[in-house]
Amino acid sequence: MEILLILLALILFAGILPLIVPFFIPHIIDKKNSSLNSNLKSKSKLEYLAKTSLILLAVGIFLESILGLTGMFQGVTNKVITFVLFNGFNLSFKIDSLSAFFTFIISLVSLLSLIFSYDYFFKHASSSSSSSSSYIVRSINYFLYSVLTVSMLLVVWANDIFTFIFSWELMGLSSYYLIIYYHQKEETKKGGLYYFIFNHVGSIILIFVFCYFYSLTGVLSFDGIAQIKTLSSVSPEIIEGMFLLMCLAFAMKAGVFPLHVWLPYAHPVAPAHVSALLSGVVIKMGLYGIIRVYLLIGTEYFSAKVGGIILFVGIICALMGGIYTLAQNNIKRLLAYCSVENVGIILMALGMGMLSFSLNNKLIATLAFAGALLHIFNHALFKSLLFLATGAIVKKFHTDSIDKLGGIIKIIPHTGVFFLIGSLAVIGVPPLNGFISEFLIYNSLFRGVAFHDFSFILAVLAILTLATLGMTSFMSFSKAFALTFLGEFRGKEIAEESKSELKSSMYYPLLILSFMCLLMGLFPLFITKLIFNVLDLSFALHALTNHDYALYVARPINYISVALLVLFIIFFLILTVRHYLYKGKVNRQTVTWDCGFEKINPRAQYSGNSFSFSMVDFLRPLILLRENYGKIKEIFAHSTTYQVDVGDLVEDKLIFKVIRFVFYLTKQGIWIEKGTIQLHIFYIAISLFLTVVGFFIFGIK
């Protein structure tokens, strides 16, 4: 544990290093105007300093990932480390196998996103006209990146209420400032504002419930939450209600429908490496919170209703996320709604696990929880891969609109292959990792059909939902890949500097993520064994003996992986034989026969709307479609326009109404604010008076 905290200090030190060191290096700071010197010597020192801090940051995160992976094997460490801050408030940390699991995910995604950012973000900022301002902005961004990484690690290591809330707020603030990096744009301000509001509403709910728990036990440590179930003064229904209220707060962070509204606005406006971190791990902190509180209160404490509610919410979230994914024509918004869909799938698995545990079926609970944890890991991999690949596209072509791209696989073929691997993993196509986690979830759901009453109905609905999502995901990512990478380019003429592949620091993270997606699909037994080890140590299920594990998990997965491996080998053998047969022969390459057309007009290709409009139109009651027709004013019109915009039904029918209501209330109370100092002093005096009266009435403990 001490080593982990030392590495956290290294990460923070590496993040803040470029901001403080220039003040101690001669000739870097211009003493006349207290700004950075712009001469070449000073600039080279700054570049060297920035690169050194990046290397230190990467090393610290890498070592955290190694220790996290090791912790998944070692299991629970009973040692608690506490730092005393002030009267009654401490920072307390403890790591178990579940914390180690999330530590590995956070560190892995953070490390690969950091490496990707060097050519994507670091060099771009370095080459700007104002070296002084770009250095400061870039250094602040990387400092916030290190703070976000550290705060997420502190969240999963927290061992008391104060530490958890402190880390949670630090994570929310640092991610907010990373999202609004391009703050000059209006859409960036909107995305950042949505995230800020949802994050802090969730925090308020968490603080309320934690304060209630503290009032019951008088203990800030998480051990106090575990004691609540022993209190005779608190009914199980109240504790279940408080747990569901906390799930509501965590759902705002996880982007659960209908609390997902910030996601499709925040992801498109953030830099690519930040979007990868947001979707890969930040939203997983909400899921971690649900799992952690569920374990703290006690898995045996909850009735079947709680698991049923979580399962039903997961069904709705996954289904609506899949439908809205299908309707998007912006790649980043498409990936954002896809995250909503996958969070719903994870909630379905968690709900089935809770439901099965309440019905005393530990076998199904084990399979469901294993599927949930494995899908958390898999989603972190393939969604980070897709966001980073999209960032490479945006850097090359300066757009993430599907309708302005096309045929770019001819220019960046490696990026196209990486995007294709990520797309197939999202869909759940073997031999990629998404298939394995969905296999475990399907396994638990089909066994859940043996339940009775509403549990049976929920299990059937979940199976149908998961099958439907396979279809919608296939259509969504067929559209995303085909219209982006195939066909003819739809935009203006491609700039000469864009006609090149990825830089090395952008290439290798995509290669590693693609390799991991493929490796986990071909050889899944290692990671599944790790996941079941986490379950045994953290969930204390111990439902599967070695025989049961071999029968229900290892054997079917092994059969599947061996079959897929054989097919994979056959495929490469065919490619090798083909290459050998064509070796030394002249291959004439020409365009495909085009039925007499000299060249396909890019405007004659499928657009994003036309590709999926038939399905989207069928689902019109669930999707907000705005159709704009250009009016024909002449008898022989030369052209007309037709545009379809897809809006979010929740945002339009709920969020906007809440905003209008809040504006109405603020306008009614505007008379309170007159702008005079005397009135402000009067308000302060009244507040202090009421505070003192409150202390005397309720007493000071």
Side-chain angles (χ1 to χ4, degrees), residues 62 255 405 576 696:
F62 173 73
L405 295 166
T576 304
F696 278 109

Side-chain angles (χ1 to χ4, degrees), residues 371-393:
L373 291 181
L374 187 55
H375 203 69
I376 287 173
F377 185 39
N378 286 340
H379 181 259
L381 292 180
F382 58 65
K383 192 52 65 69
S384 301
L385 170 61
L386 288 168
F387 267 113
L388 294 180
T390 304
I393 295 169

Side-chain angles (χ1 to χ4, degrees), residues 346-359:
I346 296 166
L347 281 180
M348 286 165 56
L350 290 176
M352 177 53 70
M354 295 175 187
L355 180 63
S356 304
F357 207 103
S358 301
L359 297 175

Side-chain angles (χ1 to χ4, degrees), residues 311 315 319 348 352 438 441-450 455-470:
L311 177 55
I315 291 171
L319 197 58
M348 286 165 56
M352 177 53 70
E438 291 195 13
I441 297 172
Y442 264 122
N443 199 341
S444 66
L445 293 176
F446 273 108
R447 294 181 186 280
V449 175
S455 303
F456 163 78
I457 296 171
L458 287 175
V460 172
L461 285 175
I463 292 168
L464 295 175
T465 300
L466 208 52
T468 304
L469 293 176

Side-chain angles (χ1 to χ4, degrees), residues 300-343:
E300 73 285 349
Y301 188 80
F302 295 97
S303 65
K305 290 183 292 185
V306 173
I309 291 171
I310 300 294
L311 177 55
F312 181 73
V313 170
I315 291 171
I316 299 300
C317 178
L319 197 58
M320 295 304 294
I323 290 171
Y324 274 96
T325 302
L326 185 62
Q328 302 308 309
N329 298 320
N330 178 289
I331 305 176
K332 277 195 167 186
R333 282 181 68 88
L334 183 146
L335 295 177
Y337 277 110
C338 179
S339 294
V340 176
E341 172 192 337
N342 280 274
V343 166

Side-chain angles (χ1 to χ4, degrees), residues 27-38:
H27 310 300
I28 292 290
I29 301 294
D30 189 346
K31 296 180 180 180
K32 292 182 179 180
N33 52 18
S34 300
S35 63
L36 295 173
N37 278 323
S38 58

Side-chain angles (χ1 to χ4, degrees), residues 557-597:
I557 288 179
N558 194 45
Y559 288 154
I560 294 168
S561 61
V562 169
L564 294 174
L565 187 60
V566 170
L567 289 174
F568 202 68
I569 293 171
I570 292 172
F571 174 73
F572 274 96
L573 282 175
I574 292 172
L575 289 180
T576 304
V577 171
R578 179 184 180 277
H579 177 74
Y580 177 77
L581 292 175
Y582 278 89
K583 190 175 182 181
K585 295 182 180 180
V586 178
N587 297 321
R588 187 171 64 92
Q589 293 184 352
T590 184
V591 296
T592 308
W593 183 60
D594 50 16
C595 304
F597 288 99

